[in-house]
Amino acid sequence: MPELPEVEGFRRRFARAAQGRVISDVITTDRTIVRNASPATLDRALRGHRFERPERLGKWLIARTDGPTVLLHFGMTGDIVAAPQAEGRHPHDRVIFVLSDGEVRYRNMRKFGGVWLAHDRVEEQSLIGLLGPDAAAVDRDSFVRLLARKRGSVKAALMDQTFIAGVGNLVADEVLWQARLHPERRIETLSPRARDALYDVMQDVLRRSVRRGGLPDAPGWFLAVRGEPDARCPRCGTLLARSAAGGRTGYFCPRCQRRSSARSR
Ligand SMILES: [Zn+2]
C-alpha cells in the first residue's frame, strides 16, 4: 500500500515524464475512478494545458497544470507509470494522460483511491479534506505541539492523517520498532524525550525510504521481516507479535517494544 515514500517516488516519476509538457488527450478507461467528473469533463478541462511541478501532501499527489489541478490518491494498489505513447497499455491503466511526448498513466488494480479534478485551490482543499502537515516536512516544534493534543495509542496517532499526513500502517510499524515503542503505548505517557526521539526516528525512516524510492525491505529494517510467517525481531530474535492498534493489523517485538508504562491501561 503506497505511503509517503512511495507517493514521493510517484511524484518524481510524474515530474520527470510530465512537467512542462502539454496534455493532448486524457483517456479514462474506467469511469468510476474519476470521482468527481465524467471522463469527457476531465478531458475537456485538461486538454491543451501544461503540467507544472507536481506536489505531494501526505499520500496525495497534486498534479498542477497552468489550468486546473488533478488530485491523485493511490489507495491500496495505485501506481504511476510513464511510457511512450500507447506502448503496452495495461488493463489496470485507469486514466492515461497523453502528452506532447509520451504518456503518464494512473494504474490501480483494486480501485481504492481515485482521481479528482479541482478547478482552483478552494476546491482542491475541500476535496483533499482536513490533513495535518506532511510527515516528512513537519518541523519538530509543530510535531511536538500537535502531539500534545493527541490522546490514545501512539500508532493510531501516527496513522491519523489529520494529525500528520503520509504515515500508514507500514511506516508506523517501522518507526515504532526503531523507536522501541509499543504500538498501543498511550501518548499521554510519553516523556518529552520520547516525543523528541519519535520525531527523529520518523524523519530518519522517511528520509531513508524516500531516498530508496519506497519502503525498504533491506536487512536490518523491521519491514524486511514484518508479516512473514514466524518472523523474528531483526534486533533480538524474539518472535513478533500482532497488534490491532490504529485499526489495522500490525506487528511489533514484544521484547524491544514493551508497554513500559504501568498506567497505560
Ligand atoms: Zn526485539
Side-chain angles (χ1 to χ4, degrees):
M1 177 160 175
E3 300 185 24
L4 188 154
E6 285 78 23
V7 180
E8 178 58 22
F10 301 160
R11 190 196 69 76
R12 292 175 185 187
R13 200 177 302 153
F14 196 100
R16 275 196 300 275
Q19 190 175 333
R21 301 211 163 87
V22 172
I23 303 158
S24 56
D25 202 1
V26 182
I27 301 165
T28 301
T29 63
D30 181 333
R31 57 182 307 118
T32 65
I33 205 77
V34 184
R35 305 296 189 189
N36 70 338
S38 69
T41 304
L42 184 70
D43 179 51
R44 210 164 39 236
L46 293 173
R47 196 185 277 244
H49 286 290
R50 189 183 296 274
F51 275 118
E52 296 181 340
R53 185 175 183 278
E55 293 169 25
R56 184 188 52 73
L57 180 56
K59 302 181 200 174
W60 286 87
L61 177 60
I62 303 169
R64 297 190 192 286
T65 74
D66 54 7
T69 293
V70 187
L71 305 173
L72 304 108
H73 198 283
F74 299 91
M76 306 285 283
T77 55
D79 199 358
I80 289 291
V81 178
Q85 231 135 53
E87 186 185 287
R89 281 189 192 151
H90 187 278
H92 299 145
D93 290 339
R94 312 279 181 193
V95 179
I96 298 155
F97 302 97
V98 182
L99 308 168
S100 41
D101 171 19
E103 53 190 47
V104 173
R105 305 169 190 168
Y106 171 80
R107 186 174 294 178
N108 196 341
M109 180 180 67
R110 290 185 61 190
K111 301 207 284 179
F112 293 101
V115 174
W116 287 260
L117 176 67
H119 293 91
D120 53 41
R121 298 265 176 164
V122 175
E123 192 177 9
E124 190 182 309
Q125 281 270 305
S126 78
L127 288 168
I128 288 181
L130 187 64
L131 278 193
D134 185 77
V138 66
D139 62 57
R140 179 189 304 274
D141 287 353
S142 307
F143 178 81
V144 168
R145 182 167 40 80
L146 293 168
L147 190 65
R149 296 187 204 152
K150 297 289 294 179
R151 296 291 178 269
S153 91
V154 64
K155 181 164 179 189
L158 289 177
M159 291 173 60
D160 176 0
Q161 303 299 298
T162 68
F163 163 52
I164 48 166
V167 173
N169 197 24
L170 298 177
V171 170
D173 274 6
E174 180 71 44
V175 167
L176 293 172
W177 178 76
Q178 289 199 22
R180 297 178 187 249
L181 289 173
H182 191 289
E184 286 158 44
R185 176 74 183 270
R186 297 190 68 84
I187 291 161
E188 305 90 289
T189 70
L190 294 179
S191 67
R193 182 188 285 189
R195 291 164 195 252
D196 266 352
L198 180 60
Y199 176 80
D200 289 335
V201 168
M202 182 180 78
Q203 291 308 318
D204 183 62
V205 166
L206 291 174
R207 208 165 23 236
R208 289 198 285 154
S209 321
V210 163
R211 203 182 301 142
R212 297 177 62 106
L215 288 166
D217 46 16
W221 286 73
F222 185 64
L223 292 175
V225 300
R226 174 205 182 279
E228 299 287 314
D230 299 324
R232 289 179 180 278
C233 173
R235 198 158 42 209
C236 74
T238 302
L239 210 55
L240 299 186
R242 281 180 195 231
S243 146
R248 298 279 309 276
T249 299
Y251 297 85
F252 67 101
C253 171
R255 184 162 174 220
C256 297
Q257 296 167 264
R258 295 224 170 105
R259 200 189 281 158
S260 52
S261 172
R263 58 193 177 96
S264 65
R265 281 255 153 161

